[in-house]
Amino acid sequence: MPLLEVENLRKQFGGLMAVDDVSFRVHRDQIKALIGPNGAGKTTLFNALTGVDKPTSGKVLFDGADITGKRAHEVAEIGIARTFQNTQIFANMNVLENVMVGRHCQTKSGIFSCMLGLPSVRREDLESEERAYSLLTLVGLEKKAKSSSDDLPVGERHLLEIARALATEPKLILLDEPAAGLNNEETSRLSDTIYRIRGNGVTVLLVEHDMGLVMEISDEVVVLNFGKKIAEGPPLLIQQDEQVIQAYLGQEIEHA
Amino acid sequence: MTSGRRGRLNKQWLWVGLYALTMAIIPNVLANNYYMKMLIVLAINTIIVIGLNLLMGYAGQVSLGHAAFYGIGAYSSAIMTTKYGMSAWLGIVAAILVGGLVAYLIAIPALRLKGHYLAMATLGFAEIVHILFIELREITGGTDGLYGVPAPSIAGFAFDTPQRLYVLVWMVLVICLVMALNIAKSRVGRALRAVHGSEIAAASMGVDTAKYKIQVFVLSGILACVGGSLYASMAGYVSSESFTLTVSITLVTMAVCGGMGNVWGAVIGASTLTIMQEYLKSYNDYNLVIFGAILILAMVFMPQGIYGAFSDLAKKLKHRLQAIPETAGEQHAAS
Amino acid sequence: MQFDQLLQFIISGITSGSIYALIALGFTLIYNSTQVINLAQGEFVVYGGLIAVSLYAGAGLPLFAAVLLSIIIVTLIGVVFERLAIRPLINHSIMTLIIVTVGASILFKNIAMIIWGRDPLTIPAFSGDDPIMFFGASIIPQSIWVFGITMVTVVLLQLFYKKTITGKAMKACSINQTAAKLMGINSSSIVLLSFALSAAFGAIAGVLIAPISMVSYSMGGFLGLKGFAGAVLGGLGNPIGAVVGGILLGILESLSIGFIASGYKDAVAFLILLLVLFLRPSGILGARIKEKV
């Protein structure tokens, strides 16, 4: 059984069909990439998968269960975590605390036990802190644990978001353009990190514009254009696909 | 790392102890009824502003209507004690229940709104409540208000003089402060700050944003009700004039001027502004002119509030102090 | 209720509604250029009325000169307010800006109390007090002035938006500030202009209402809130909505006096505000608000 099944998913904004009848599957322990020209509907698809937006029609199955239309926090509890293209760092917290927010799903203390400062709350907090710290080590931000998160450069913000998402202990992590703002060296470190994430048993679905990275790390690629899926397959086949070349060439010409 | 965290926490409780001690000593130095009453009001304001700070500074949800909860607390206490002959303790319990329920009911629709819309909705709510205080004459006494609110007593000891009531208020204040500090550093405190920082990211981390917004609104409403209940006991009467829009705004101002997003900011803001307001009273007609001017100036020059301004200053000084030996070393090496 | 009574309530509703409409327009202009809700908006109304009183009764200027000069002075107050208090904080949090406008309203209100005292003051009606009968309801001439000038102001504002470069720039800023900035529109002077215009609209409301309900230092707060309720009712950010919402609010409020106890009159405006915010926050004329991620 695939980990994630997307069936005939549609998302309409007014007259615009941002995601149009898209279906694909992500298998356990895969690294799958979602690519496509700007405005192809990649982030919209992510939003529809994670409960940020409700899909107009279609189905999302996770681990065999229908999760279509669940709210964002419920999706997170089920085991799907994500990062954001325009990073959404909690600027009012330090780096470590940001990651500790990710531990929310894994902890239970309610407002009353927190208010009373029960020993169980303190125990949970220490555990969270240690786990958050080790995740920061995984992405290489452990030295900045106590820094203000607002001072981080763009690249490190993406890394922080990855650590934060991992803190929810997801089965599937959705990365939205994690390489944006990274230099070559940082990108190659990122690909190591993504391999390590997969090595820890977390399936990866990523949206990315850096084709070098996508072709290097992905097991499979889904290509979207104008909201529709135009191709799916291993990187080598995708690179030779007529429609894909057309879609990207079309864009190149527009740019020029 | 873990030991560092422990050290920081201990230091925080040291401050709580120091503050509690100071607040306990002051009445022994300023032992007259006028100062005692001011001190009680200061403590009550601090209790309410601690709640407002959790709501606004931590969770980022604006309320311009907390005078309504302050009033609901005071009236609930007054009605239960004067009309139904309940004890003052039951009055406080009633205040908490009624206020908590009203806060819950208003929070559900209101907290779907954001920013200015939320601010104006809470303001509109408070205006309606204020009009009800005046118009529901049969139960609120209309413009006359309600008289003869008793002070609580325990085992024959009545908190019936300002000195005695202060002991009670002081205890409630310290309990509220400790609870707020506990929440602030906990999982729930982080969830609240996450809602403030980015609602969508908070939700994607599994934080049920609607639930936490409602919880913190109800909590802050209840703290305002407790404050109102204590106020009714101190004054012995309640009237609608004590719960106007100006009061809501003054409370918010205390939270903002003290420094948002830090429990101590609430303590500083409530204390400073209560004392300042009391002091400005001697300027009669010019009182509020000066108050308004100070508000604007405070916001223009210290938008982070007093706590924020001082912690920035402390950080800069620390940097300076750390920089000096290094530069000295460099100069030495250069020569 | 008989027809003439109903008509009477509606006419008085339109009169107070016109005042709310002018205040609502002021909120809208400032909101569109800055996203700030200026809680000192009602004070402009008070100053418009009270300064006109001083110029007319104190300085002995002719009524129309006093009225005109008062509007100009209040406009300048709006400009100074923007420069000193809003400009330095424009990028700060909503809370900070709310507190600043609240601080300004407390300051304005109490300065007014020191200058003009606590008693309500008035100026004569613009064209006499003889009521005109209209289907059994009586209309005082000042009511016609109130409604007429409000309508003229609205039309002029629309012309300004459609026909002048500055007006078009202002409209562009209200739709998309970043884009407007990229197109080379100086948004900081647009903000200043919006404060000037809002202050002027407030002052116009003040001089219009002074002969009917008199003006006292303390009435700014409530007037401002009702103007805001009108703006929200019509759809915050929409100038036509502000006018429709303001007048509708006036009529509903006035009718409520006919049906419910008058003590609850003020509660009606706030109840409407809450209902609109809870059920349809975009107002009756606004499009549904889309949230951006």
Side-chain angles (χ1 to χ4, degrees):
Chain A
M1 183 173 53
L3 184 61
L4 179 78
E5 287 175 86
V6 178
E7 288 177 10
N8 308 101
L9 201 74
R10 280 204 166 95
K11 177 69 200 178
Q12 195 169 3
F13 292 112
L16 177 78
M17 196 61 91
V19 173
D20 193 355
D21 203 19
V22 171
S23 305
F24 64 91
R25 291 170 172 195
V26 182
H27 292 276
R28 257 167 254 272
D29 295 332
Q30 258 193 335
I31 296 178
K32 189 146 185 166
L34 199 59
I35 64 169
N38 284 323
K42 297 164 302 214
T43 296
T44 311
L45 183 64
F46 265 23
N47 285 345
L49 292 181
T50 52
V52 171
D53 281 331
K54 273 207 165 72
T56 311
S57 66
K59 245 189 192 176
V60 183
L61 299 176
F62 184 69
D63 233 355
D66 189 350
I67 61 159
T68 325
K70 281 210 185 291
R71 290 162 64 203
H73 69 94
E74 295 169 327
V75 173
E77 277 165 13
I78 292 165
I80 304 181
R82 70 174 289 187
T83 66
F84 298 87
Q85 183 187 353
N86 304 315
T87 54
Q88 301 279 329
I89 297 292
F90 306 124
N92 50 356
M93 284 182 251
N94 70 25
V95 170
L96 184 68
E97 286 168 326
N98 262 275
V99 183
M100 286 172 79
V101 173
R103 294 287 300 167
H104 196 86
C105 304
Q106 297 298 320
T107 45
K108 287 190 195 68
S109 319
I111 192 162
F112 285 109
S113 34
C114 286
M115 213 187 274
L116 300 174
L118 299 181
S120 64
V121 176
R122 240 168 293 166
R123 219 168 23 237
E124 229 179 48
D125 248 19
L126 282 176
E127 275 170 28
S128 283
E129 190 172 325
E130 267 152 35
R131 177 76 183 131
Y133 199 80
S134 71
L135 288 168
L136 281 177
T137 315
L138 176 79
V139 299
L141 282 179
E142 73 279 5
K143 289 213 178 69
K144 298 210 170 176
K146 296 291 160 91
S147 311
S148 150
S149 60
D150 207 23
D151 298 338
L152 293 184
V154 184
E156 291 185 349
R157 283 168 182 252
H158 281 292
L159 293 175
L160 172 55
E161 285 211 339
I162 293 175
R164 191 176 68 179
L166 287 174
T168 67
E169 311 295 343
K171 293 179 193 148
L172 171 69
I173 186 169
L174 310 184
L175 306 176
D176 201 346
E177 297 198 24
L182 299 192
N183 61 29
N184 285 342
E185 193 204 319
E186 287 168 327
T187 306
S188 80
R189 254 199 306 168
L190 175 71
S191 69
D192 289 347
T193 308
I194 294 176
Y195 280 131
R196 244 181 297 162
I197 291 170
R198 196 249 306 263
N200 290 342
V202 180
T203 308
V204 178
L205 175 64
L206 79 158
V207 162
E208 187 48 67
H209 272 304
D210 183 329
M211 283 309 137
L213 180 69
V214 168
M215 297 306 162
E216 178 202 332
I217 64 169
S218 330
D219 303 315
E220 272 189 322
V221 179
V222 172
V223 189
L224 291 185
N225 194 21
F226 295 116
K228 285 196 167 71
K229 183 175 95 174
I230 55 170
E232 182 173 7
L236 282 174
L237 287 179
I238 290 295
Q239 278 170 307
Q240 290 154 14
D241 187 286
E242 270 309 309
Q243 268 188 297
V244 176
I245 294 167
Q246 278 293 321
Y248 273 90
L249 275 182
Q251 203 202 16
E252 296 285 299
I253 290 162
E254 269 169 42
H255 273 286
Chain B
M1 179 193 79
T2 315
S3 68
R5 186 181 162 82
R6 288 249 165 73
R8 199 175 71 223
L9 288 185
N10 287 339
K11 211 161 92 189
Q12 178 181 292
W13 298 127
L14 193 72
W15 282 110
V16 173
L18 215 60
Y19 172 70
L21 197 66
T22 316
M23 292 296 280
I25 290 172
I26 294 173
N28 298 306
V29 185
L30 304 169
N32 73 47
N33 274 355
Y34 170 77
Y35 282 119
M36 282 318 301
K37 281 196 172 169
M38 184 186 98
L39 214 53
I40 291 174
V41 171
L42 185 148
I44 289 173
N45 285 342
T46 309
I47 292 168
I48 302 173
V49 175
I50 284 174
L52 265 182
N53 201 334
L54 287 176
L55 176 69
M56 304 197 309
Y58 281 81
Q61 309 299 310
V62 180
S63 168
L64 289 182
H66 262 52
F69 297 112
Y70 190 23
I72 288 170
Y75 272 102
S76 302
S77 260
I79 291 166
M80 290 302 165
T81 50
T82 62
K83 303 231 160 173
Y84 298 101
M86 287 186 185
S87 77
W89 297 113
L90 280 178
I92 294 180
V93 173
I96 291 173
L97 291 179
V98 175
L101 182 68
V102 174
Y104 180 69
L105 292 178
I106 198 74
I108 293 170
L111 290 168
R112 285 174 15 214
L113 303 167
K114 290 189 168 54
H116 281 305
Y117 286 90
L118 175 61
M120 297 310 275
T122 50
L123 190 155
F125 156 74
E127 285 299 323
I128 292 173
V129 170
H130 185 242
I131 291 168
L132 289 176
F133 287 156
I134 300 170
E135 294 298 324
L136 295 175
R137 284 182 200 89
E138 258 122 68
I139 51 172
T140 63
T143 41
D144 297 335
L146 292 169
Y147 284 83
V149 184
S153 63
I154 192 164
F157 178 87
F159 297 98
D160 53 359
T161 65
Q163 276 82 359
R164 288 174 169 189
L165 186 64
Y166 180 76
V167 177
L168 177 66
V169 175
W170 175 85
M171 284 192 288
V172 177
L173 169 63
V174 173
I175 291 170
C176 289
L177 177 66
V178 170
M179 284 181 168
L181 286 167
N182 275 337
I183 289 180
K185 69 176 167 59
S186 73
R187 167 180 185 261
V188 173
R190 283 189 298 273
L192 295 177
R193 281 190 283 165
V195 169
H196 190 182
S198 162
E199 219 170 309
I200 174 175
S204 300
M205 294 302 116
V207 176
D208 185 345
T209 54
K211 179 179 106 183
Y212 283 104
K213 284 200 269 184
I214 292 171
Q215 279 189 351
V216 72
F217 191 85
V218 171
L219 177 66
S220 72
I222 286 177
L223 287 182
C225 283
V226 170
S229 195
L230 292 171
Y231 176 80
S233 290
M234 178 197 78
Y237 73 95
V238 289
S239 91
S240 64
E241 280 162 40
S242 317
F243 315 109
T244 55
L245 173 59
T246 317
V247 174
S248 286
I249 285 167
T250 309
L251 292 169
V252 168
T253 309
M254 287 174 179
V256 176
C257 283
M260 299 264 263
N262 188 294
V263 176
W264 291 106
V267 173
I268 295 169
S271 309
T272 316
L273 264 79
T274 310
I275 295 170
M276 191 179 87
Q277 272 192 320
E278 204 54 45
Y279 173 74
L280 286 177
K281 274 187 187 156
S282 59
Y283 288 89
N284 299 322
D285 282 358
Y286 288 89
N287 164 9
L288 287 170
V289 175
I290 302 170
F291 183 65
I294 289 176
L295 276 194
I296 299 178
L297 292 175
M299 287 300 101
V300 171
F301 294 106
M302 277 194 305
Q304 306 299 323
I306 302 171
Y307 184 90
F310 276 98
S311 67
D312 276 359
L313 196 72
K315 255 183 222 158
K316 268 182 203 153
L317 278 177
K318 214 170 148 192
H319 266 280
R320 243 335 124 73
L321 288 176
Q322 281 170 346
I324 290 167
E326 279 172 31
T327 38
E330 275 164 29
Q331 277 165 358
H332 188 74
S335 66
Chain C
M1 188 185 293
Q2 279 164 347
F3 176 72
D4 53 346
Q5 263 180 309
L6 188 69
L7 193 63
Q8 192 71 60
F9 277 123
I10 289 177
I11 289 168
S12 83
I14 290 176
T15 310
S16 53
S18 302
I19 299 299
Y20 300 155
L22 284 172
I23 302 169
L25 262 184
F27 273 113
T28 306
L29 285 172
I30 291 180
Y31 181 79
N32 280 347
S33 67
T34 60
Q35 307 288 302
V36 171
I37 303 281
N38 173 25
L39 288 168
Q41 193 65 29
E43 312 306 325
F44 293 144
V45 181
V46 170
Y47 273 64
L50 290 177
I51 291 174
V53 169
S54 287
L55 293 174
Y56 174 76
L61 290 183
L63 185 58
F64 281 92
V67 162
L68 210 60
L69 195 57
S70 166
I71 294 170
I72 294 169
I73 293 172
V74 175
T75 307
L76 290 177
I77 294 176
V79 168
V80 171
F81 172 48
E82 194 274 341
R83 279 287 133 132
L84 292 185
I86 302 297
R87 177 68 50 93
L89 292 171
I90 201 74
N91 292 323
H92 279 86
S93 75
I94 290 173
M95 225 34 260
T96 312
L97 284 158
I98 288 181
I99 302 275
V100 164
T101 64
V102 165
S105 95
I106 296 174
L107 189 67
F108 282 137
K109 175 174 151 185
N110 289 283
I111 290 177
M113 185 187 78
I114 290 166
I115 300 178
W116 288 284
R118 289 165 196 270
D119 296 327
L121 301 168
T122 188
I123 49 174
F126 294 2
S127 52
D129 293 316
D130 302 328
I132 302 156
M133 295 311 285
F134 178 74
F135 291 108
S138 71
I139 306 175
I140 48 169
Q142 188 67 21
S143 286
I144 297 172
W145 277 102
V146 172
F147 183 69
I149 293 199
T150 303
M151 287 302 120
V152 170
T153 311
V154 173
V155 170
L156 285 178
L157 182 68
Q158 286 305 313
L159 285 177
F160 170 72
Y161 273 148
K162 295 220 166 83
K163 301 283 175 198
T164 66
I165 297 285
T166 325
K168 282 178 189 164
M170 204 162 179
K171 188 116 206 172
C173 272
S174 75
I175 295 164
N176 187 336
Q177 264 196 41
T178 330
K181 216 172 252 175
L182 289 174
M183 301 299 289
I185 293 169
N186 182 351
S187 70
S188 107
S189 59
I190 296 289
V191 171
L192 188 65
L193 181 65
S194 71
F195 271 84
L197 282 177
S198 308
F201 290 171
I204 293 171
V207 296
L208 286 172
I209 200 69
I212 300 180
S213 63
M214 309 180 77
V215 186
S216 77
Y217 81 100
S218 63
M219 65 195 272
F222 251 32
L223 277 176
L225 291 180
K226 288 183 183 171
F228 178 80
V232 170
L233 179 58
L236 191 59
N238 176 346
I240 300 292
V243 177
V244 174
I247 292 179
L248 192 60
L249 182 72
I251 294 174
L252 289 173
E253 205 181 59
S254 172
L255 286 176
S256 75
I257 302 174
F259 293 104
I260 329 167
S262 64
Y264 289 105
K265 177 193 150 209
D266 291 324
V268 169
F270 296 116
L271 204 57
I272 292 172
L273 175 67
L274 282 195
L275 286 178
V276 175
L277 283 176
F278 290 168
L279 302 178
R280 197 182 158 85
S282 53
I284 48 177
L285 294 188
R288 293 229 170 238
I289 303 166
K290 260 266 145 60
E291 252 206 69
K292 280 184 216 162
V293 172

